[in-house]
């Protein structure tokens, strides 16, 4: 159930994801500020992680202004927000 990518590891089952999706989940999980979301991801089976990612894709890849506002509200700093947006664009959009 542990997935690793680039030397890091999480407790999220990424076995049903592509390499780029796995890298995104590793990145976003590592940067997630809400412990409830982290715990929820850890409890999802592989197909649930895939479904969650597919559900998030329109928000992450759609309206950049909305994404940045939600990251700001979640407590991300400007540099973190930019990195998050760029990683999403590179890996899953």
């Amino acid at each position: 159930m542990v997935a690793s990518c680039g030397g890091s590891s999480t407790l999220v089952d990424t076995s049903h994801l592509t390499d780029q999706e796995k890298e995104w989940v590793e990145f976003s999980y590592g940067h997630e500020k809400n412990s409830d979301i982290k715990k929820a991801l850890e409890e999802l089976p592989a197909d649930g992680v895939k479904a969650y990612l597919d559900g998030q894709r329109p928000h992450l890849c759609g309206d950049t202004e909305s994404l940045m506002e939600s990251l700001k509200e979640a407590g991300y700093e400007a540099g973190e927000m930019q990195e998050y947006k760029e990683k999403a664009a590179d890996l899953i959009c």
Side-chain angles (χ1 to χ4, degrees), residues 31-50:
H31 289 80
E32 181 57 59
K33 295 181 182 291
N34 184 325
S35 61
D36 291 337
I37 291 174
K38 282 182 129 171
K39 183 176 167 106
L41 283 170
E42 292 167 5
E43 293 174 354
L44 288 174
D47 58 342
V49 173
K50 176 74 172 155

Side-chain angles (χ1 to χ4, degrees), residues 58-90:
H59 174 69
L60 296 168
C61 302
D63 181 8
T64 301
E65 186 176 326
S66 174
L67 171 62
M68 298 304 259
E69 184 61 32
S70 66
L71 290 171
K72 183 179 179 182
E73 289 173 4
Y76 288 82
E77 300 290 328
E80 293 174 306
M81 292 166 42
Q82 185 63 32
E83 181 183 22
Y84 201 93
K85 181 183 79 136
E86 289 171 3
K87 279 284 196 186
D90 290 345

Side-chain angles (χ1 to χ4, degrees), residues 7-46:
S8 64
S9 65
T10 67
L11 299 175
V12 178
D13 187 345
T14 59
S15 62
H16 290 183
L17 304 179
T18 67
D19 289 343
Q20 286 186 304
E21 290 170 334
K22 287 177 185 178
E23 188 175 344
W24 169 254
V25 169
E26 289 285 331
F27 172 81
S28 64
Y29 179 89
H31 289 80
E32 181 57 59
K33 295 181 182 291
N34 184 325
S35 61
D36 291 337
I37 291 174
K38 282 182 129 171
K39 183 176 167 106
L41 283 170
E42 292 167 5
E43 293 174 354
L44 288 174

